[in-house]
Amino acid sequence: MASLKSWLPIPKSSHFSLANIPFGIISTASKSSPRPAVAIGDHVLDLQEFSASGAFSSLNIDVAVFSKPTLNDFAALGRPVHRSVREYLQEVFAENSTHADILKNNSSLQDKALLKRDQVTSHVPMHIGDYTDFYAGKNHAFNVGCLFRGPDNALQPNYTHLPVGYHGRASSIVVSGTPITRPNGQILEAPGSKVPIFSPCKRLDIELELGAFLCKGNTMGKNIPISEAAEHIFGYVLLNDWSARDIQAWEYVPLGPFLAKNFGSTISPWVVLADALEPFRTKGLDNDTQLLPYLQEKEDKNVYDIRLQVDITPAEGQETTNILNSNGSNLLFSFPQMLAHHSIGGCPMAVGDLLGSGTISGKDAGTEGSFLELSKGGKETIKLNGGIERKFLQDGDTVTLYGVSGNEETGLVGFGECSGKIIPAPKI
């Protein structure tokens, strides 16, 4: 892939190279109303101001979508429109742009529309009507299964036949940088206990995931065919599905996660378009099971080579530790397969719906996507810098997820940060 160079200075280490152009929602101190923007290097381009100048006049789109407080209306225009807007913005920022007068040579518009990224506030980029979290990280499912059932019965019989999932809570999805309150709930205080106590969660965990936003829905009663599912995906974010493991252990039988999962999920603020990740398609985990026809894809490169990383900062001013590294290729099912399965019974999906991948763990030590796996269910300690140890998260801990594809020579395509700090549970 050829390098894309810009007239705007972009650090080589930036996740937001000209090869990316991710979309988000911002506000500023001088203008508090949320509106769409794209990230490029250390800057953002305010698309409301940019479109008001007539800069999109060469494209046949309704620029009113760039004055909305979410990306839903823009997403609903469809992937061909997303593609044309992204390619046009790449040309506007290109080193030898044929549209130099639009922005490069227009200092007045630059002052209004080209803002420093550290001077804007990011918001949840889409109105999320529904959120479904899957369990497509086979290594994670196996690791957790081993903890509770042993290696011979780690995976349930249905696991390789379909994308297992559960319905999450859209109302508690927050953007990176939002504090996460430790939840209260019922837990079993000691091994072998059969009577719960009411307590703040003592085994608070993370889950390293990717999320996919939808740009197209379906009518109730009609499914989304696997051959069309990719066109329904707007783009991707990092997702940390915070988990209260002790609350989960007591409540999940017989209906699955509830309070252990509904107190908070954090996403990165910039939606990386599906087209931006196309060069990084790769093969996922092998599945020897013969899938039913509605889940069979023609393309075997159906996931993405995204380098994933999780860091923890124990408290303000203390040293940060990289605790794990994984890859987006560690999935058994692709997002199109998740969507095809989700809708096969006629469930109506909608623009802005969010699908989570499930925890993305590798096979090797240090690639596990949760503290539950890293600490072997709390039996081992995780060594942090400065002699600090953890088994699960403590109050004041800040966890940051990163994800990036490509290299500095051709331009990185990444998500930026997905971060949250744990604050104490309320006294009840």
mmCIF file of all heavy atoms in Angstrom, residues 320-367:
data_model
loop_
_atom_site.group_PDB
_atom_site.id
_atom_site.type_symbol
_atom_site.label_atom_id
_atom_site.label_comp_id
_atom_site.label_asym_id
_atom_site.label_seq_id
_atom_site.Cartn_x
_atom_site.Cartn_y
_atom_site.Cartn_z
ATOM 1 N N THR A 320 2.753 3.432 34.396
ATOM 2 C CA THR A 320 1.861 2.617 33.577
ATOM 3 C C THR A 320 2.548 1.309 33.196
ATOM 4 O O THR A 320 3.740 1.277 32.915
ATOM 5 C CB THR A 320 1.450 3.383 32.310
ATOM 6 O OG1 THR A 320 0.713 4.537 32.686
ATOM 7 C CG2 THR A 320 0.604 2.529 31.391
ATOM 8 N N THR A 321 1.768 0.219 33.156
ATOM 9 C CA THR A 321 2.271 -1.098 32.774
ATOM 10 C C THR A 321 1.450 -1.644 31.616
ATOM 11 O O THR A 321 0.221 -1.604 31.650
ATOM 12 C CB THR A 321 2.177 -2.100 33.946
ATOM 13 O OG1 THR A 321 2.880 -1.590 35.072
ATOM 14 C CG2 THR A 321 2.754 -3.458 33.551
ATOM 15 N N ASN A 322 2.140 -2.134 30.605
ATOM 16 C CA ASN A 322 1.469 -2.871 29.531
ATOM 17 C C ASN A 322 1.250 -4.299 30.030
ATOM 18 O O ASN A 322 2.200 -5.025 30.276
ATOM 19 C CB ASN A 322 2.328 -2.855 28.271
ATOM 20 C CG ASN A 322 1.824 -3.818 27.201
ATOM 21 O OD1 ASN A 322 2.607 -4.554 26.606
ATOM 22 N ND2 ASN A 322 0.535 -3.821 26.941
ATOM 23 N N ILE A 323 -0.016 -4.695 30.190
ATOM 24 C CA ILE A 323 -0.284 -5.999 30.790
ATOM 25 C C ILE A 323 -0.611 -7.081 29.770
ATOM 26 O O ILE A 323 -0.493 -8.266 30.086
ATOM 27 C CB ILE A 323 -1.409 -5.927 31.838
ATOM 28 C CG1 ILE A 323 -2.714 -5.401 31.220
ATOM 29 C CG2 ILE A 323 -0.984 -5.119 33.041
ATOM 30 C CD1 ILE A 323 -3.912 -5.567 32.124
ATOM 31 N N LEU A 324 -1.014 -6.683 28.543
ATOM 32 C CA LEU A 324 -1.324 -7.726 27.563
ATOM 33 C C LEU A 324 -1.330 -7.154 26.158
ATOM 34 O O LEU A 324 -1.543 -5.959 25.948
ATOM 35 C CB LEU A 324 -2.669 -8.394 27.869
ATOM 36 C CG LEU A 324 -3.956 -7.604 27.647
ATOM 37 C CD1 LEU A 324 -4.550 -7.876 26.274
ATOM 38 C CD2 LEU A 324 -4.976 -7.946 28.727
ATOM 39 N N ASN A 325 -1.098 -8.036 25.196
ATOM 40 C CA ASN A 325 -1.131 -7.687 23.775
ATOM 41 C C ASN A 325 -1.806 -8.833 23.023
ATOM 42 O O ASN A 325 -1.463 -10.000 23.212
ATOM 43 C CB ASN A 325 0.276 -7.465 23.225
ATOM 44 C CG ASN A 325 0.967 -6.273 23.858
ATOM 45 O OD1 ASN A 325 0.791 -5.147 23.441
ATOM 46 N ND2 ASN A 325 1.759 -6.540 24.890
ATOM 47 N N SER A 326 -2.763 -8.495 22.170
ATOM 48 C CA SER A 326 -3.471 -9.503 21.405
ATOM 49 C C SER A 326 -3.619 -9.016 19.967
ATOM 50 O O SER A 326 -2.924 -8.090 19.535
ATOM 51 C CB SER A 326 -4.842 -9.798 22.057
ATOM 52 O OG SER A 326 -5.485 -10.872 21.406
ATOM 53 N N ASN A 327 -4.535 -9.619 19.219
ATOM 54 C CA ASN A 327 -4.736 -9.233 17.823
ATOM 55 C C ASN A 327 -6.186 -9.488 17.422
ATOM 56 O O ASN A 327 -6.795 -10.473 17.854
ATOM 57 C CB ASN A 327 -3.792 -10.017 16.906
ATOM 58 C CG ASN A 327 -3.725 -9.427 15.510
ATOM 59 O OD1 ASN A 327 -4.636 -9.588 14.697
ATOM 60 N ND2 ASN A 327 -2.638 -8.738 15.210
ATOM 61 N N GLY A 328 -6.718 -8.610 16.582
ATOM 62 C CA GLY A 328 -8.091 -8.735 16.121
ATOM 63 C C GLY A 328 -8.368 -9.977 15.312
ATOM 64 O O GLY A 328 -9.533 -10.310 15.058
ATOM 65 N N SER A 329 -7.326 -10.678 14.908
ATOM 66 C CA SER A 329 -7.500 -11.920 14.146
ATOM 67 C C SER A 329 -7.905 -13.096 15.027
ATOM 68 O O SER A 329 -8.265 -14.167 14.518
ATOM 69 C CB SER A 329 -6.214 -12.263 13.390
ATOM 70 O OG SER A 329 -5.153 -12.491 14.307
ATOM 71 N N ASN A 330 -7.870 -12.918 16.356
ATOM 72 C CA ASN A 330 -8.180 -14.013 17.279
ATOM 73 C C ASN A 330 -9.692 -14.160 17.494
ATOM 74 O O ASN A 330 -10.176 -14.209 18.637
ATOM 75 C CB ASN A 330 -7.478 -13.794 18.616
ATOM 76 C CG ASN A 330 -5.995 -14.055 18.541
ATOM 77 O OD1 ASN A 330 -5.565 -15.068 17.996
ATOM 78 N ND2 ASN A 330 -5.196 -13.140 19.072
ATOM 79 N N LEU A 331 -10.430 -14.221 16.394
ATOM 80 C CA LEU A 331 -11.880 -14.407 16.451
ATOM 81 C C LEU A 331 -12.269 -15.629 15.633
ATOM 82 O O LEU A 331 -11.714 -15.870 14.557
ATOM 83 C CB LEU A 331 -12.605 -13.175 15.904
ATOM 84 C CG LEU A 331 -12.498 -11.883 16.734
ATOM 85 C CD1 LEU A 331 -13.135 -10.722 15.982
ATOM 86 C CD2 LEU A 331 -13.132 -12.062 18.106
ATOM 87 N N LEU A 332 -13.250 -16.371 16.129
ATOM 88 C CA LEU A 332 -13.731 -17.544 15.419
ATOM 89 C C LEU A 332 -14.802 -17.165 14.396
ATOM 90 O O LEU A 332 -14.935 -17.815 13.363
ATOM 91 C CB LEU A 332 -14.303 -18.566 16.407
ATOM 92 C CG LEU A 332 -14.671 -19.934 15.836
ATOM 93 C CD1 LEU A 332 -13.421 -20.674 15.366
ATOM 94 C CD2 LEU A 332 -15.428 -20.763 16.868
ATOM 95 N N PHE A 333 -15.570 -16.121 14.690
ATOM 96 C CA PHE A 333 -16.608 -15.644 13.788
ATOM 97 C C PHE A 333 -16.373 -14.177 13.461
ATOM 98 O O PHE A 333 -15.879 -13.407 14.290
ATOM 99 C CB PHE A 333 -17.997 -15.811 14.421
ATOM 100 C CG PHE A 333 -18.422 -17.239 14.589
ATOM 101 C CD1 PHE A 333 -18.282 -17.886 15.810
ATOM 102 C CD2 PHE A 333 -18.967 -17.948 13.527
ATOM 103 C CE1 PHE A 333 -18.670 -19.211 15.976
ATOM 104 C CE2 PHE A 333 -19.354 -19.271 13.670
ATOM 105 C CZ PHE A 333 -19.205 -19.902 14.894
ATOM 106 N N SER A 334 -16.729 -13.778 12.242
ATOM 107 C CA SER A 334 -16.586 -12.390 11.795
ATOM 108 C C SER A 334 -17.822 -11.593 12.183
ATOM 109 O O SER A 334 -18.871 -12.146 12.539
ATOM 110 C CB SER A 334 -16.423 -12.351 10.274
ATOM 111 O OG SER A 334 -17.651 -12.724 9.643
ATOM 112 N N PHE A 335 -17.719 -10.274 12.089
ATOM 113 C CA PHE A 335 -18.880 -9.430 12.372
ATOM 114 C C PHE A 335 -20.022 -9.666 11.374
ATOM 115 O O PHE A 335 -21.190 -9.680 11.780
ATOM 116 C CB PHE A 335 -18.471 -7.961 12.432
ATOM 117 C CG PHE A 335 -17.876 -7.568 13.751
ATOM 118 C CD1 PHE A 335 -16.502 -7.443 13.903
ATOM 119 C CD2 PHE A 335 -18.687 -7.330 14.851
ATOM 120 C CE1 PHE A 335 -15.950 -7.087 15.124
ATOM 121 C CE2 PHE A 335 -18.149 -6.981 16.083
ATOM 122 C CZ PHE A 335 -16.777 -6.856 16.224
ATOM 123 N N PRO A 336 -19.749 -9.850 10.081
ATOM 124 C CA PRO A 336 -20.867 -10.216 9.193
ATOM 125 C C PRO A 336 -21.565 -11.504 9.620
ATOM 126 O O PRO A 336 -22.798 -11.612 9.532
ATOM 127 C CB PRO A 336 -20.184 -10.361 7.826
ATOM 128 C CG PRO A 336 -19.052 -9.391 7.875
ATOM 129 C CD PRO A 336 -18.536 -9.524 9.285
ATOM 130 N N GLN A 337 -20.812 -12.488 10.092
ATOM 131 C CA GLN A 337 -21.437 -13.717 10.579
ATOM 132 C C GLN A 337 -22.276 -13.453 11.828
ATOM 133 O O GLN A 337 -23.374 -14.007 11.986
ATOM 134 C CB GLN A 337 -20.372 -14.775 10.867
ATOM 135 C CG GLN A 337 -19.769 -15.392 9.610
ATOM 136 C CD GLN A 337 -18.621 -16.338 9.918
ATOM 137 O OE1 GLN A 337 -17.731 -16.019 10.714
ATOM 138 N NE2 GLN A 337 -18.634 -17.506 9.298
ATOM 139 N N MET A 338 -21.758 -12.607 12.723
ATOM 140 C CA MET A 338 -22.533 -12.244 13.911
ATOM 141 C C MET A 338 -23.854 -11.589 13.509
ATOM 142 O O MET A 338 -24.914 -11.889 14.075
ATOM 143 C CB MET A 338 -21.723 -11.294 14.799
ATOM 144 C CG MET A 338 -20.458 -11.878 15.385
ATOM 145 S SD MET A 338 -19.563 -10.622 16.347
ATOM 146 C CE MET A 338 -17.860 -11.113 16.057
ATOM 147 N N LEU A 339 -23.789 -10.693 12.542
ATOM 148 C CA LEU A 339 -24.985 -9.980 12.110
ATOM 149 C C LEU A 339 -25.966 -10.908 11.404
ATOM 150 O O LEU A 339 -27.180 -10.844 11.631
ATOM 151 C CB LEU A 339 -24.589 -8.818 11.192
ATOM 152 C CG LEU A 339 -25.710 -7.930 10.685
ATOM 153 C CD1 LEU A 339 -26.548 -7.377 11.838
ATOM 154 C CD2 LEU A 339 -25.129 -6.790 9.845
ATOM 155 N N ALA A 340 -25.453 -11.783 10.549
ATOM 156 C CA ALA A 340 -26.316 -12.736 9.853
ATOM 157 C C ALA A 340 -27.024 -13.651 10.854
ATOM 158 O O ALA A 340 -28.214 -13.957 10.701
ATOM 159 C CB ALA A 340 -25.503 -13.561 8.858
ATOM 160 N N HIS A 341 -26.304 -14.075 11.882
ATOM 161 C CA HIS A 341 -26.911 -14.939 12.894
ATOM 162 C C HIS A 341 -27.922 -14.164 13.737
ATOM 163 O O HIS A 341 -29.017 -14.666 14.044
ATOM 164 C CB HIS A 341 -25.830 -15.541 13.791
ATOM 165 C CG HIS A 341 -26.363 -16.456 14.844
ATOM 166 N ND1 HIS A 341 -26.990 -17.646 14.545
ATOM 167 C CD2 HIS A 341 -26.395 -16.343 16.205
ATOM 168 C CE1 HIS A 341 -27.369 -18.240 15.663
ATOM 169 N NE2 HIS A 341 -27.019 -17.469 16.685
ATOM 170 N N HIS A 342 -27.570 -12.947 14.117
ATOM 171 C CA HIS A 342 -28.430 -12.112 14.956
ATOM 172 C C HIS A 342 -29.805 -11.915 14.313
ATOM 173 O O HIS A 342 -30.839 -11.886 14.996
ATOM 174 C CB HIS A 342 -27.757 -10.748 15.170
ATOM 175 C CG HIS A 342 -28.263 -9.982 16.348
ATOM 176 N ND1 HIS A 342 -29.585 -9.887 16.688
ATOM 177 C CD2 HIS A 342 -27.589 -9.242 17.276
ATOM 178 C CE1 HIS A 342 -29.717 -9.129 17.772
ATOM 179 N NE2 HIS A 342 -28.522 -8.745 18.152
ATOM 180 N N SER A 343 -29.818 -11.800 12.986
ATOM 181 C CA SER A 343 -31.051 -11.459 12.274
ATOM 182 C C SER A 343 -31.759 -12.665 11.662
ATOM 183 O O SER A 343 -32.828 -12.506 11.065
ATOM 184 C CB SER A 343 -30.743 -10.445 11.164
ATOM 185 O OG SER A 343 -29.933 -11.034 10.147
ATOM 186 N N ILE A 344 -31.190 -13.867 11.809
ATOM 187 C CA ILE A 344 -31.725 -15.012 11.072
ATOM 188 C C ILE A 344 -33.163 -15.353 11.471
ATOM 189 O O ILE A 344 -33.938 -15.872 10.674
ATOM 190 C CB ILE A 344 -30.811 -16.261 11.227
ATOM 191 C CG1 ILE A 344 -31.169 -17.338 10.184
ATOM 192 C CG2 ILE A 344 -30.860 -16.807 12.641
ATOM 193 C CD1 ILE A 344 -30.975 -16.900 8.761
ATOM 194 N N GLY A 345 -33.542 -15.029 12.695
ATOM 195 C CA GLY A 345 -34.909 -15.283 13.123
ATOM 196 C C GLY A 345 -35.856 -14.139 12.844
ATOM 197 O O GLY A 345 -37.028 -14.193 13.226
ATOM 198 N N GLY A 346 -35.334 -13.074 12.181
ATOM 199 C CA GLY A 346 -36.162 -11.922 11.857
ATOM 200 C C GLY A 346 -36.042 -10.764 12.818
ATOM 201 O O GLY A 346 -36.836 -9.821 12.771
ATOM 202 N N CYS A 347 -35.038 -10.792 13.700
ATOM 203 C CA CYS A 347 -34.826 -9.678 14.632
ATOM 204 C C CYS A 347 -34.511 -8.406 13.846
ATOM 205 O O CYS A 347 -33.591 -8.391 13.028
ATOM 206 C CB CYS A 347 -33.676 -10.001 15.575
ATOM 207 S SG CYS A 347 -33.172 -8.631 16.637
ATOM 208 N N PRO A 348 -35.244 -7.312 14.072
ATOM 209 C CA PRO A 348 -34.964 -6.080 13.324
ATOM 210 C C PRO A 348 -33.763 -5.333 13.893
ATOM 211 O O PRO A 348 -33.765 -4.930 15.050
ATOM 212 C CB PRO A 348 -36.247 -5.262 13.493
ATOM 213 C CG PRO A 348 -36.811 -5.714 14.796
ATOM 214 C CD PRO A 348 -36.426 -7.171 14.946
ATOM 215 N N MET A 349 -32.738 -5.164 13.081
ATOM 216 C CA MET A 349 -31.563 -4.384 13.448
ATOM 217 C C MET A 349 -31.767 -2.951 12.962
ATOM 218 O O MET A 349 -32.590 -2.695 12.076
ATOM 219 C CB MET A 349 -30.305 -4.981 12.821
ATOM 220 C CG MET A 349 -30.140 -6.488 13.018
ATOM 221 S SD MET A 349 -30.004 -6.986 14.744
ATOM 222 C CE MET A 349 -28.397 -6.310 15.165
ATOM 223 N N ALA A 350 -31.014 -2.009 13.522
ATOM 224 C CA ALA A 350 -31.215 -0.599 13.176
ATOM 225 C C ALA A 350 -29.889 0.136 13.082
ATOM 226 O O ALA A 350 -28.881 -0.297 13.659
ATOM 227 C CB ALA A 350 -32.113 0.075 14.208
ATOM 228 N N VAL A 351 -29.906 1.251 12.373
ATOM 229 C CA VAL A 351 -28.730 2.121 12.285
ATOM 230 C C VAL A 351 -28.326 2.540 13.697
ATOM 231 O O VAL A 351 -29.161 2.963 14.506
ATOM 232 C CB VAL A 351 -29.038 3.367 11.437
ATOM 233 C CG1 VAL A 351 -27.854 4.335 11.462
ATOM 234 C CG2 VAL A 351 -29.376 2.967 10.006
ATOM 235 N N GLY A 352 -27.048 2.396 14.015
ATOM 236 C CA GLY A 352 -26.547 2.759 15.336
ATOM 237 C C GLY A 352 -26.451 1.598 16.297
ATOM 238 O O GLY A 352 -25.840 1.732 17.363
ATOM 239 N N ASP A 353 -27.032 0.451 15.955
ATOM 240 C CA ASP A 353 -26.872 -0.721 16.813
ATOM 241 C C ASP A 353 -25.386 -1.079 16.900
ATOM 242 O O ASP A 353 -24.634 -0.935 15.926
ATOM 243 C CB ASP A 353 -27.638 -1.912 16.263
ATOM 244 C CG ASP A 353 -29.136 -1.834 16.554
ATOM 245 O OD1 ASP A 353 -29.571 -0.863 17.205
ATOM 246 O OD2 ASP A 353 -29.860 -2.748 16.125
ATOM 247 N N LEU A 354 -24.990 -1.553 18.076
ATOM 248 C CA LEU A 354 -23.584 -1.893 18.320
ATOM 249 C C LEU A 354 -23.469 -3.382 18.609
ATOM 250 O O LEU A 354 -24.205 -3.936 19.426
ATOM 251 C CB LEU A 354 -23.048 -1.099 19.512
ATOM 252 C CG LEU A 354 -21.590 -1.366 19.930
ATOM 253 C CD1 LEU A 354 -20.618 -0.941 18.839
ATOM 254 C CD2 LEU A 354 -21.276 -0.646 21.242
ATOM 255 N N LEU A 355 -22.520 -4.028 17.919
ATOM 256 C CA LEU A 355 -22.194 -5.432 18.156
ATOM 257 C C LEU A 355 -20.791 -5.518 18.756
ATOM 258 O O LEU A 355 -19.849 -4.931 18.219
ATOM 259 C CB LEU A 355 -22.229 -6.235 16.852
ATOM 260 C CG LEU A 355 -23.499 -6.172 16.006
ATOM 261 C CD1 LEU A 355 -23.331 -7.051 14.768
ATOM 262 C CD2 LEU A 355 -24.721 -6.586 16.802
ATOM 263 N N GLY A 356 -20.663 -6.248 19.860
ATOM 264 C CA GLY A 356 -19.360 -6.479 20.461
ATOM 265 C C GLY A 356 -18.833 -7.848 20.074
ATOM 266 O O GLY A 356 -19.596 -8.807 19.924
ATOM 267 N N SER A 357 -17.534 -7.952 19.922
ATOM 268 C CA SER A 357 -16.910 -9.196 19.446
ATOM 269 C C SER A 357 -16.827 -10.273 20.508
ATOM 270 O O SER A 357 -16.771 -11.463 20.207
ATOM 271 C CB SER A 357 -15.493 -8.916 18.952
ATOM 272 O OG SER A 357 -14.678 -8.448 20.022
ATOM 273 N N GLY A 358 -16.828 -9.873 21.779
ATOM 274 C CA GLY A 358 -16.401 -10.763 22.846
ATOM 275 C C GLY A 358 -14.906 -10.593 23.059
ATOM 276 O O GLY A 358 -14.190 -10.017 22.225
ATOM 277 N N THR A 359 -14.417 -11.069 24.169
ATOM 278 C CA THR A 359 -13.014 -10.858 24.551
ATOM 279 C C THR A 359 -12.064 -11.520 23.562
ATOM 280 O O THR A 359 -12.209 -12.692 23.219
ATOM 281 C CB THR A 359 -12.768 -11.418 25.962
ATOM 282 O OG1 THR A 359 -13.732 -10.859 26.851
ATOM 283 C CG2 THR A 359 -11.371 -11.074 26.446
ATOM 284 N N ILE A 360 -11.076 -10.740 23.115
ATOM 285 C CA ILE A 360 -10.148 -11.190 22.078
ATOM 286 C C ILE A 360 -8.819 -11.583 22.725
ATOM 287 O O ILE A 360 -7.964 -10.739 22.987
ATOM 288 C CB ILE A 360 -9.936 -10.102 21.014
ATOM 289 C CG1 ILE A 360 -11.287 -9.655 20.440
ATOM 290 C CG2 ILE A 360 -9.033 -10.602 19.900
ATOM 291 C CD1 ILE A 360 -11.190 -8.509 19.443
ATOM 292 N N SER A 361 -8.674 -12.849 23.010
ATOM 293 C CA SER A 361 -7.465 -13.379 23.643
ATOM 294 C C SER A 361 -6.661 -14.196 22.642
ATOM 295 O O SER A 361 -7.221 -14.841 21.754
ATOM 296 C CB SER A 361 -7.833 -14.286 24.830
ATOM 297 O OG SER A 361 -8.541 -13.583 25.816
ATOM 298 N N GLY A 362 -5.353 -14.168 22.814
ATOM 299 C CA GLY A 362 -4.491 -15.049 22.050
ATOM 300 C C GLY A 362 -4.267 -16.346 22.809
ATOM 301 O O GLY A 362 -4.866 -16.588 23.858
ATOM 302 N N LYS A 363 -3.385 -17.199 22.281
ATOM 303 C CA LYS A 363 -3.095 -18.486 22.922
ATOM 304 C C LYS A 363 -1.934 -18.409 23.903
ATOM 305 O O LYS A 363 -1.831 -19.223 24.813
ATOM 306 C CB LYS A 363 -2.783 -19.545 21.855
ATOM 307 C CG LYS A 363 -4.003 -20.053 21.113
ATOM 308 C CD LYS A 363 -3.629 -21.237 20.225
ATOM 309 C CE LYS A 363 -4.851 -21.858 19.594
ATOM 310 N NZ LYS A 363 -4.511 -23.039 18.759
ATOM 311 N N ASP A 364 -1.042 -17.439 23.715
ATOM 312 C CA ASP A 364 0.179 -17.380 24.507
ATOM 313 C C ASP A 364 -0.010 -16.562 25.778
ATOM 314 O O ASP A 364 -0.912 -15.723 25.872
ATOM 315 C CB ASP A 364 1.315 -16.779 23.674
ATOM 316 C CG ASP A 364 1.607 -17.593 22.426
ATOM 317 O OD1 ASP A 364 1.480 -18.830 22.497
ATOM 318 O OD2 ASP A 364 1.947 -16.987 21.384
ATOM 319 N N ALA A 365 0.882 -16.784 26.745
ATOM 320 C CA ALA A 365 0.873 -15.997 27.973
ATOM 321 C C ALA A 365 1.092 -14.522 27.635
ATOM 322 O O ALA A 365 1.946 -14.188 26.823
ATOM 323 C CB ALA A 365 1.966 -16.495 28.914
ATOM 324 N N GLY A 366 0.309 -13.674 28.248
ATOM 325 C CA GLY A 366 0.419 -12.245 27.986
ATOM 326 C C GLY A 366 -0.464 -11.765 26.858
ATOM 327 O O GLY A 366 -0.436 -10.584 26.495
ATOM 328 N N THR A 367 -1.249 -12.679 26.280
ATOM 329 C CA THR A 367 -2.176 -12.282 25.215
ATOM 330 C C THR A 367 -3.636 -12.446 25.658
ATOM 331 O O THR A 367 -4.546 -12.243 24.861
ATOM 332 C CB THR A 367 -1.960 -13.113 23.939
ATOM 333 O OG1 THR A 367 -2.293 -14.494 24.195
ATOM 334 C CG2 THR A 367 -0.527 -13.024 23.458
#
